[in-house]
Amino acid sequence: MNKQKYNQDNPMLVNSVVCAIDILGFSEMIVNSCKNGYGDKLLREVSHLINKNKQCIIPNKYSQGKIKIYTDNMIVGYPIKGDGQEELYEILENVSEYQFNLSIEGLFVRGGISVGDFYINEDIVFGPALLDAHITESKLACYPRIILDNKTVDRLQKYIKNYECYPQRNKILIDNDGQWFLNYLTTIFKYYTECENEYEFEKLQIELLLRHKMKIEEMLSIHKENTNVWDKYVWTANYHNYFCDLNFPREKQLKISRKSLLSWPREISNNDF
């Protein structure tokens, strides 16, 4: 019989879907805020955002999923029952929503998802699936994307083959480097129940994408002199533009200007002395 939850009194490894998430630039934010006297303010803001949005990941008391948060990191585990399709769908859906909600507040994350033996309680996270998810996040994600490791991709491919039209197919994109990652902007399509009609629904979607665009442009401006960081937000801008081209081709105002994604040299001027 499959073990279906994390036993708090008798710790045992449980076959699980695991996601490791890291907030980009958080260490620098901590150093700068404390150095400039607004550390408490940043702490309160980030604490509020994370506590508000972690409800996306464990949406109700019936979910067996567990979360562990420390500084800029979050570990999420869902114990698997059966073939794991339900749990993988749940983590893809819920983590995407978490990523989207943070992004429109200006916090961009990267992450890794894996499958395997795992255990979590209030004091410890443990297991090879944790290590695999962490390696995927820290070594392969690189950009503000949450990617699936090879074991997770293999599972997803099997599920897709069982359906003529797999319902979660649009939740994943494949990047130029072959990595499968969460198409988190699809979260905007979840807000239909909050709108009275189709017009309001599309209006809300456009408003959310404009907020996403504004935060990316803000990050591009802030980090324009730090090429390594700036490049991560160029990737995010390209993803944003791809999504808008695919789903809102007539809404040109949603796209981030290509000019802001290019870099070129200039001549020396009087302002340089």
Side-chain angles (χ1 to χ4, degrees), residues 40-213:
D40 288 340
K41 181 176 181 291
L42 177 66
L43 172 61
R44 288 191 294 269
E45 289 175 351
V46 172
S47 178
H48 171 73
L49 287 174
I50 290 176
N51 285 322
K52 180 177 74 171
N53 290 300
K54 73 180 183 181
Q55 304 303 319
C56 308
I57 297 178
I58 309 294
N60 57 62
K61 64 181 180 180
Y62 303 106
S63 175
Q64 294 296 331
K66 298 292 182 184
I67 300 175
K68 188 78 172 177
I69 299 174
Y70 51 100
T71 60
D72 56 342
N73 296 284
M74 174 184 285
I75 302 298
V76 184
Y78 285 80
I80 289 175
K81 57 183 178 182
D83 66 357
Q85 181 174 331
E86 181 180 336
E87 290 76 25
L88 183 56
Y89 166 69
E90 188 174 2
I91 205 166
L92 295 181
E93 185 83 9
N94 296 347
V95 169
S96 288
E97 185 174 354
Y98 177 80
Q99 184 179 13
F100 173 75
N101 288 348
L102 288 188
S103 73
I104 60 176
E105 299 290 348
L107 294 177
F108 291 84
V109 306
R110 71 183 184 195
I113 297 176
S114 189
V115 179
D117 286 343
F118 176 74
Y119 178 77
I120 183 172
N121 66 18
E122 291 185 1
D123 300 315
I124 190 172
V125 286
F126 183 89
L130 168 66
L131 300 180
D132 290 341
H134 173 68
I135 289 170
T136 303
E137 173 268 311
S138 60
K139 304 296 185 184
L140 300 177
C142 301
Y143 305 109
R145 57 182 183 172
I146 296 176
I147 66 175
L148 284 58
D149 76 352
N150 291 337
K151 290 183 291 184
T152 312
V153 170
D154 288 344
R155 277 181 175 263
L156 190 58
Q157 287 174 326
K158 290 177 184 177
Y159 302 149
I160 291 173
K161 288 176 183 177
N162 291 333
Y163 290 86
E164 287 187 12
C165 182
Y166 185 65
Q168 284 73 53
R169 194 167 187 151
N170 71 334
K171 304 291 183 186
I172 300 293
L173 293 173
I174 302 177
D175 215 338
N176 289 334
D177 60 357
Q179 300 293 348
W180 293 39
F181 69 97
L182 297 190
N183 185 11
Y184 68 85
L185 285 175
T186 57
T187 299
I188 67 171
F189 299 130
K190 293 181 66 173
Y191 289 91
Y192 184 76
T193 55
E194 299 179 15
C195 302
E196 294 184 2
N197 53 56
E198 197 70 33
Y199 170 76
E200 282 193 9
F201 183 39
E202 185 169 345
K203 182 181 177 183
L204 176 59
Q205 291 171 343
I206 289 173
E207 288 175 357
L208 290 169
L209 286 173
L210 284 172
R211 284 182 64 185
H212 189 253
K213 171 188 175 182

